[in-house]
Amino acid sequence: MKKLVFLSVAVILFSSVPLALGQNTNMSFNGGYQGSNWTYGGETVGTGFYDGSINGVAVGPGQPGGPGMICDDFGDNIFSGETWTANAINASSLTSNSNLSQTLFGTAIGFVRYQEVAYLAYQMFTTSPGAPTQAAYSEAIWALTGSGVDPGKLTGLALTLYNNVTAGGETLTGSQLASLWIYTPNPRGPNQAQEMWGTVAVPEGGSTVGYLFLAGLCCFGAMFARSRRQIGSSPLA
């Protein structure tokens, strides 16, 4: 009976590991960006690829981590020299019924919207567009996430990109999705940093720690069972 209780507790503990022991990815922004400036609602912002680092890997023009990172959050600001931590999710492992809630916009925009953002992000990373085109991609992405840009106010290429991706049919293969990562600020809350997309592979939140925890738990369980057998077979005094 005690073994059954131990196994039940082990299952409960392990099921909570990814949430309780999530890993943090270090992020930084150095102030550089490759898109054109865009004025919306009285605010002028930088667009396109942002320069900095993801988990110690530099991102930006000619950098080992790729051309930069892509912001999907118009509602929050970051500043030159800012650093923060984020929870990383590979786009191929994002599902509507498990880790979607760990993203910045989660169920507020839904799984389909995140897939649409993934499509535009992938196009940016694989086509290396110029500054004006990068700006259009950023505008369309910010409209998709509902983070402060009204889709009805998009014009030109930004409106075309938005309409094309929301019309459906623009999908990525599993390997294409696997090349993209979502880095969500951790913790989430008011005045947070921005959620980013990039191509720097990092441990997904909680996975590595969880596996180590499970391994230790299994070892302990084996020791417990062996100890019980030894006690049961010991001679009586």
Side-chain angles (χ1 to χ4, degrees):
M1 183 63 183
K2 289 184 179 179
K3 293 180 186 177
L4 180 60
V5 171
F6 171 80
L7 290 174
S8 299
V9 171
V11 170
I12 294 172
L13 287 175
F14 179 65
S15 66
S16 66
V17 166
L19 295 178
L21 300 174
Q23 292 197 6
N24 283 331
T25 297
N26 295 319
M27 310 285 293
S28 72
F29 173 58
N30 65 18
Y33 55 92
Q34 276 89 73
S36 302
N37 289 338
W38 183 54
T39 300
Y40 179 85
E43 182 181 10
T44 300
V45 299
T47 65
F49 292 118
Y50 289 8
D51 306 340
S53 67
I54 300 172
N55 224 33
V57 180
V59 296
Q63 296 302 319
M69 49 190 170
I70 301 170
C71 164
D72 68 7
D73 176 14
F74 187 80
D76 295 290
N77 295 314
I78 56 173
F79 305 93
S80 179
E82 186 168 354
T83 62
W84 67 98
T85 59
N87 180 62
I89 299 175
N90 186 261
S92 66
S93 68
L94 187 67
T95 61
S96 58
N97 58 359
S98 66
N99 53 6
L100 178 65
S101 62
Q102 297 175 28
T103 60
L104 183 57
F105 304 104
T107 55
I109 66 170
F111 178 73
V112 172
R113 276 288 184 265
Y114 263 98
Q115 295 295 296
E116 292 168 351
V117 172
Y119 181 85
L120 294 183
Y122 182 81
Q123 296 303 311
M124 284 186 66
F125 280 115
T126 55
T127 62
S128 301
T133 302
Q134 286 187 39
Y137 272 96
S138 289
E139 295 164 34
I141 288 172
W142 291 332
L144 286 171
T145 59
S147 57
V149 172
D150 181 358
K153 294 184 178 180
L154 295 178
T155 60
L157 179 58
L159 178 60
T160 299
L161 291 170
Y162 179 87
N163 287 338
N164 286 347
V165 76
T166 55
E170 307 284 15
T171 58
L172 299 177
T173 65
S175 61
Q176 290 171 333
L177 281 170
S179 69
L180 298 173
W181 291 78
I182 309 167
Y183 313 96
T184 303
N186 184 20
R188 293 171 290 174
N191 302 316
Q192 65 202 353
Q194 296 169 335
E195 182 172 82
M196 296 288 183
W197 291 69
T199 58
V200 177
V202 296
E204 290 192 64
S207 59
T208 301
V209 177
Y211 296 147
L212 291 175
F213 181 81
L214 177 61
L217 201 59
C218 291
C219 290
F220 180 77
M223 291 169 59
F224 177 84
R226 184 169 182 270
S227 174
R228 291 288 300 159
R229 286 198 297 271
Q230 287 178 337
I231 292 172
S233 61
S234 297
L236 295 177

